[in-house]
Amino acid sequence: MSDESDGPMWPPAMFKAFQETGEQAVEKQQELLKQMMGGGMSGMDMNQIGAMSQTATFKTRVQSGGRISIPDAEREALDIEEGDIVQTVVIPVKRNRSE
């Protein structure tokens, strides 16, 4: 089997949905920045602003039982400790198996 799995593993329609969602997120971030720069933060919760700056993107392997690990550097940077609840978005990148 050749290693052609560097491309996306999802159907084109799903990829388009991911792309649209990403574009919407960028638009929302731009709106927020305009509000912040224009002094229009009266309706903004500081927790919302803080949550936007506390994100990390990394690749990890799925372990036995479906477990994934958050690398040390990301846990430290985001002050994540055992027992904390985090939100994840999972996008398959590469499959290492023969089908």
Side-chain angles (χ1 to χ4, degrees):
M1 182 172 129
S2 66
D3 191 14
E4 296 180 17
S5 56
D6 290 333
M9 299 301 299
W10 48 83
M14 187 178 290
F15 179 76
K16 184 169 175 60
F18 283 137
Q19 186 177 20
E20 289 172 357
T21 301
E23 290 169 359
Q24 290 171 0
V26 169
E27 289 174 11
K28 292 291 184 185
Q29 289 173 349
Q30 289 173 341
E31 288 175 23
L32 174 62
L33 183 59
K34 286 178 186 174
Q35 288 178 355
M36 290 171 58
M37 299 302 283
M41 293 189 49
S42 59
M44 301 255 354
D45 180 356
M46 290 307 287
N47 288 328
Q48 292 172 320
I49 295 169
M52 284 180 54
S53 67
Q54 296 179 358
T55 61
T57 302
F58 56 89
K59 293 179 184 177
T60 187
R61 290 196 186 276
V62 177
Q63 301 169 5
S64 65
R67 293 179 180 91
I68 60 172
S69 296
I70 302 172
D72 290 338
E74 279 74 10
R75 287 197 315 268
E76 289 175 18
L78 298 174
D79 192 28
I80 296 172
E81 296 179 355
E82 184 175 337
D84 289 352
I85 297 174
V86 299
Q87 182 169 344
T88 59
V89 176
V90 178
I91 301 172
V93 175
K94 182 177 180 182
R95 292 193 168 98
N96 291 331
R97 58 182 176 212
S98 58
E99 295 182 19

